[in-house]
């Protein structure tokens, strides 16, 4: 049961802003961002015009993976503040008609969660069956190399199995060994998750972003996977969108969301999910989630896994987005994102952060935001924040990057410069350096020593320089958000991709109620002739060239027409 007619829930016309709390705003000088810091910046977000804050995890955590390893779902980590601070955050957001979406990380917990402490202590304890425990391979000795129950590798390097000498069994961890996977086959696990979600909704949060939620149902046979260049097997075929996923999500919806008077935003992070699955899960009449985060587009420049990145072919991007737009056209709903805390910065990745920094940041934003779906902005994206010139491995903090470096350089003997180049291109720390508020040494993020170095370009790329400048990246994001809020065509219009084979121009139309919107952008460094146009120019990132038949490098235009 929801309060509005399916297809018209509030989150369809909303723009979501992701806050990575550790790097957003420090209020107490310890070099780590916190909730009071975030509260002090709500007016900035309000001015940008976003409707929703998605807050990455602030729960109690040993921070092996910056909070994605949770040791207590019911309390806030002292690094970030208190429960009272979250309550204040909710009050302050709601007072401005904004909403709060919390991160829900329930594929795994921290190994320091009380459930796991009990579970690992014995095979007969109360929580014995809450995690994925398995015996060694038959005929092997537990703890010895090769005795692992199967050959799967972890996303953060090494085996996905860890030997527990007390229990004399292995536990599964798809991520770090401090992130044991929960056993969703156990109904008690599912009930505990539902109860926890209900408590957060009762406190006033407006929805959840669900971390790797399509990994929760694993093939119980846990078969070996095809061996990857790392030497480990790929378990993804056995746990991506597994057999009971939709059942678990339906059960969650019934236990948590149905019967509440309001609509909630639920966005499932789903690496490897297909458009067909997304269409089922997000069907406005029968689905389980508002939308999902799919990964197809952010994999298009990877030629041999995450650390072997190549050039993006724009035609592939158009084919991919076009496929997702059509698969979800009738009753489904897309999320739209370039950046998050796991991805490099879009202006460096697919734009040109040197000669065309402003134009490429705003052209990419324009193209993304006017698709059909709900756009997500990752902190600093609205300022055109770039990747970071990390000069040495000691500048990096992310467990994924550090583990990869250790294995590639120390174990496999790869050239450290080549490995560092790959980390500079794709490493998650590119997105995690402090928010660039101003040109001061701590970038206005902290008066102390930041937990990770600020990007040296904060002296020119920062909020203070942009918020009052109508020609800034920030102002362009403001205009895109305002257009979505004022014109129903952006929310409800049908999507049609144009020029699929053009290597430089990204163009599409949206049509609704006798009107059509044309979005056309030159996503290249070369000026390009383009004869697409319309009756009225409603938005452009380069106003000076707007009348010309030539699109300047990274020029984007939006036209409105009465439909013929
Ligand atoms: O990420 C899941 C995920 O599959 C990847 O994006 C991952 O971050 C990595 O890049 C694999 O190469 C989610 C969170 O967003 C991420 O921050 C967490 O580390 C991870 O789950 C575990 O909770």
């Amino acid at each position: 049961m929801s309060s509005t007619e399916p297809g018209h829930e509030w989150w369809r016309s909303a723009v979501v802003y992701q806050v990575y709390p550790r790097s957003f705003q420090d209020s107490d000088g310890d070099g780590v961002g916190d909730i009071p810091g975030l509260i002090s910046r709500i007016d900035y977000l309000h001015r940008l015009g976003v409707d929703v804050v998605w807050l990455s995890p602030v729960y109690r955590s040993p921070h092996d993976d910056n909070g994605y390893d949770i040791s207590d779902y019911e309390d806030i980590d002292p690094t970030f503040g208190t429960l009272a601070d979250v309550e204040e955050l909710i009050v302050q957001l709601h007072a401005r008609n904004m909403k709060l979406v919390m991160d829900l990380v329930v594929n795994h917990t921290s190994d320091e969660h009380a459930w796991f402490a009990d579970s690992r202590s014995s095979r007969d304890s109360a929580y014995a069956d809450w995690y994925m425990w398995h015996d060694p391979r038959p005929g092997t000795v537990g703890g010895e190399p090769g005795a692992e129950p199967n050959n799967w590798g972890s996303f953060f390097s090494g085996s996905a199995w860890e030997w527990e000498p007390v229990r004399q069994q292995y536990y599964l961890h798809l991520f770090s060994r401090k992130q044991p996977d929960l056993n969703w086959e156990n109904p008690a696990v599912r009930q505990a998750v539902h109860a926890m979600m209900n408590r957060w909704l009762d406190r006033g949060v407006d929805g959840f972003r669900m971390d790797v939620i399509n990994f929760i149902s694993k093939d119980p046979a846990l078969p070996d996977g095809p061996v990857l260049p790392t030497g480990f097997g790929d378990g993804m075929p056995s746990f991506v969108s597994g057999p009971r996923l939709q059942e678990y999500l339906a059960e969650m919806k019934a236990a948590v969301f149905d019967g509440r008077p309001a609509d909630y935003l639920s966005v499932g992070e789903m690496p490897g999910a297909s458009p067909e699955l997304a269409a089922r899960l997000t069907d406005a009449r029968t689905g389980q989630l508002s939308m999902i985060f799919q990964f197809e587009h952010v994999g298009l420049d990877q030629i041999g896994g995450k650390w072997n990145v190549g050039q993006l072919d724009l035609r592939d991007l158009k084919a991919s987005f076009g496929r997702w737009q059509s698969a979800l056209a009738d009753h489904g709903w897309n999320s739209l994102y370039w950046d998050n805390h796991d991805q490099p910065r879009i202006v460096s990745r697919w734009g040109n952060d040197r000669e065309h920094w402003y134009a490429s940041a705003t052209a990419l934003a324009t193209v993304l935001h006017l698709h059909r779906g709900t756009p997500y902005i990752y902190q600093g994206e609205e300022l055109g924040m770039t990747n970071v010139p990390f000069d040495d491995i000691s500048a990096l903090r992310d467990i994924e990057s550090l583990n990869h470096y250790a294995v590639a350089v120390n174990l496999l003997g790869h050239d450290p410069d080549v490995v560092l180049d790959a980390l500079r291109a794709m490493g998650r720390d590119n997105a995690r350096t402090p928010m660039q508020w101003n040109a001061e040494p701590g970038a206005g993020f902290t008066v102390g020593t930041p937990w990770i170095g600020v990007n040296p370009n904060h002296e020119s790329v920062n909020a203070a320089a942009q918020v009052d400048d109508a020609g800034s990246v920030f102002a362009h994001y403001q205009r895109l958000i305002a257009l979505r809020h004022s014109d129903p065509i952006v929310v409800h219009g049908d999507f049609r991709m144009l020029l699929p084979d053009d290597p430089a121009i990204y163009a599409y139309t949206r049509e609704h109620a006798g009107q059509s919107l044309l979005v056309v952008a030159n996503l290249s460094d070369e000026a390009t002739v383009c004869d697409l146009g319309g009756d009225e120019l409603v938005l452009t990132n380069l106003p000076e060239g707007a009348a010309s038949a030539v699109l300047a490098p990274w020029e984007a235009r939006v036209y409105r027409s009465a439909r013929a």
Side-chain angles (χ1 to χ4, degrees):
M1 266 287 222
S2 62
S3 67
T4 27
E5 197 193 323
H8 295 269
E9 299 86 350
W10 58 262
W11 39 262
R12 293 185 200 263
S13 54
V15 178
V16 183
Y17 187 95
Q18 183 190 354
V19 169
Y20 195 66
R22 161 173 291 273
S23 304
F24 193 62
Q25 179 65 61
D26 177 21
S27 73
D28 57 10
D30 67 355
V32 180
D34 46 48
I35 298 163
L38 164 56
I39 293 173
S40 74
R41 294 296 187 179
I42 293 177
D43 283 329
Y44 167 87
L45 301 177
H46 191 52
R47 185 165 173 191
L48 178 61
V50 295
D51 308 275
V52 185
V53 170
W54 150 28
L55 183 57
S56 275
V58 289
Y59 313 96
R60 275 196 192 262
S61 165
H63 296 286
D64 191 51
D65 185 20
N66 288 356
Y68 282 91
D69 48 320
I70 296 169
S71 54
D72 185 352
Y73 292 110
E74 312 280 344
D75 202 4
I76 301 303
D77 197 277
T79 320
F80 296 128
T82 62
L83 271 173
D85 292 331
V86 173
E87 277 157 17
E88 178 64 12
L89 174 65
I90 293 171
V91 167
Q92 293 293 332
L93 287 170
H94 287 177
R96 292 165 181 82
N97 212 8
M98 295 166 73
K99 303 198 186 278
L100 180 65
V101 163
M102 297 286 273
D103 222 302
L104 180 81
V105 188
V106 290
N107 172 70
H108 45 267
T109 69
S110 163
D111 66 335
E112 298 183 33
H113 195 291
W115 299 341
F116 190 74
D118 177 87
S119 192
R120 81 190 322 174
S121 70
S122 131
R123 298 190 194 192
D124 315 304
S125 72
Y127 295 85
D129 197 24
W130 281 46
Y131 293 84
M132 308 279 293
W133 292 103
H134 280 270
D135 292 331
R137 266 181 210 259
T140 62
V141 179
E144 306 259 298
E148 295 83 11
N150 69 25
N151 69 354
W152 296 358
S154 132
F155 285 105
F156 294 160
S157 304
S159 168
W161 296 95
E162 183 75 6
W163 176 246
E164 171 50 69
V166 177
R167 233 182 110 133
Q168 291 283 303
Q169 278 184 316
Y170 284 94
Y171 66 86
L172 178 71
H173 59 90
L174 296 181
F175 294 91
S176 102
R177 67 167 67 88
K178 288 184 67 61
Q179 293 167 298
D181 283 57
L182 282 162
N183 174 19
W184 275 71
E185 298 275 335
N186 182 345
V189 168
R190 309 201 296 270
Q191 281 154 18
V193 168
H194 303 157
M196 176 268 284
M197 293 172 74
N198 273 312
R199 281 188 288 272
W200 280 106
L201 292 183
D202 292 345
R203 279 193 194 103
V205 313
D206 304 289
F208 299 100
R209 175 270 186 186
M210 305 174 174
D211 193 69
V212 288
I213 200 71
N214 67 326
F215 292 0
I216 58 179
S217 167
K218 282 107 175 155
D219 174 352
L222 299 173
D224 281 340
V227 178
L228 299 166
T230 56
F232 289 96
D234 179 7
M236 288 184 81
S238 303
F239 62 76
V240 167
S241 313
R244 299 183 67 185
L245 173 63
Q246 196 163 4
E247 172 199 335
Y248 292 156
L249 293 175
E251 186 187 54
M252 177 189 282
K253 177 169 176 284
V256 177
F257 299 111
D258 287 351
R260 287 183 179 264
D263 293 317
Y264 292 92
L265 190 163
S266 55
V267 51
E269 190 207 23
M270 299 204 177
S274 66
E276 294 70 35
L277 175 69
R280 267 207 319 277
L281 297 179
T282 69
D283 189 304
R285 305 155 306 173
T286 54
Q288 290 76 40
L289 297 174
S290 313
M291 62 195 104
I292 73 160
F293 288 133
Q294 53 101 352
F295 279 63
E296 192 176 283
H297 64 300
V298 291
L300 292 175
D301 56 3
Q302 290 165 32
I303 41 191
K306 169 157 187 168
W307 305 116
N308 195 356
V309 29
Q311 244 349 85
L312 171 74
D313 185 326
L314 188 66
R315 289 166 291 204
D316 295 340
L317 183 66
K318 290 190 279 190
S320 174
F321 272 150
R323 184 161 50 242
W324 282 82
Q325 289 284 308
S326 9
L328 276 61
D330 292 337
H331 302 287
W333 195 251
N334 274 288
S335 74
L336 307 168
Y337 75 95
W338 290 135
D339 282 349
N340 59 45
H341 64 293
D342 296 331
Q343 300 292 332
R345 295 284 185 176
I346 194 62
V347 65
S348 303
R349 185 181 194 174
W350 293 341
N352 177 341
D353 64 6
R354 298 161 310 277
E355 297 85 12
H356 300 290
W357 167 74
Y358 161 81
S360 66
T362 49
L364 286 163
T366 308
V367 159
L368 184 78
H369 275 238
L370 301 178
H371 281 85
R372 184 170 177 273
T374 299
Y376 287 72
I377 300 171
Y378 178 68
Q379 64 185 44
E381 182 187 333
E382 78 282 11
L383 303 173
M385 277 179 63
T386 67
N387 279 356
V388 184
F390 297 112
D391 52 7
D392 187 82
I393 187 67
S394 63
L396 295 167
R397 297 287 176 273
D398 176 24
I399 179 170
E400 182 189 41
S401 295
L402 298 179
N403 286 0
H404 170 66
Y405 187 90
V407 168
V409 174
N410 304 334
L411 228 58
L412 304 173
H414 294 173
D415 179 346
D417 290 335
V418 173
V419 176
L420 198 56
D421 267 345
L423 292 174
R424 276 194 213 100
M426 285 303 290
R428 305 193 298 181
D429 281 335
N430 282 302
R432 299 178 179 187
T433 59
M435 178 71 175
Q436 295 169 201
W437 296 106
N438 61 39
E440 288 165 19
F445 161 72
T446 186
V447 294
T449 307
W451 70 276
I452 185 170
V454 300
N455 191 327
N457 70 12
H458 75 277
E459 291 181 3
S460 55
V461 177
N462 64 62
Q466 293 191 30
V467 287
D468 294 318
D469 175 1
S472 66
V473 180
F474 180 89
H476 193 79
Y477 270 86
Q478 276 182 317
R479 287 190 289 267
L480 286 169
I481 297 166
L483 181 61
R484 168 169 296 265
H485 289 156
S486 65
D487 195 337
I489 200 169
V490 177
V491 181
H492 297 291
D494 295 331
F495 177 95
R496 191 157 59 95
M497 188 70 83
L498 307 175
L499 310 179
D501 299 322
D502 191 296
I505 293 184
Y506 200 119
Y508 58 86
T509 56
R510 304 289 309 281
E511 295 195 347
H512 180 69
Q515 294 260 306
S516 133
L517 212 59
L518 168 73
V519 179
V520 52
N522 175 6
L523 301 188
S524 83
D525 290 346
E526 314 299 329
T528 306
V529 176
C530 177
D531 53 14
L532 295 172
D535 299 342
E536 178 204 353
L537 183 71
V538 289
L539 195 79
T540 170
N541 62 341
L542 299 177
E544 53 285 359
S548 158
V550 173
L551 285 175
W554 302 99
E555 179 169 359
R557 298 178 190 167
V558 182
Y559 294 98
R560 192 196 319 272
S561 300
R563 203 162 57 183

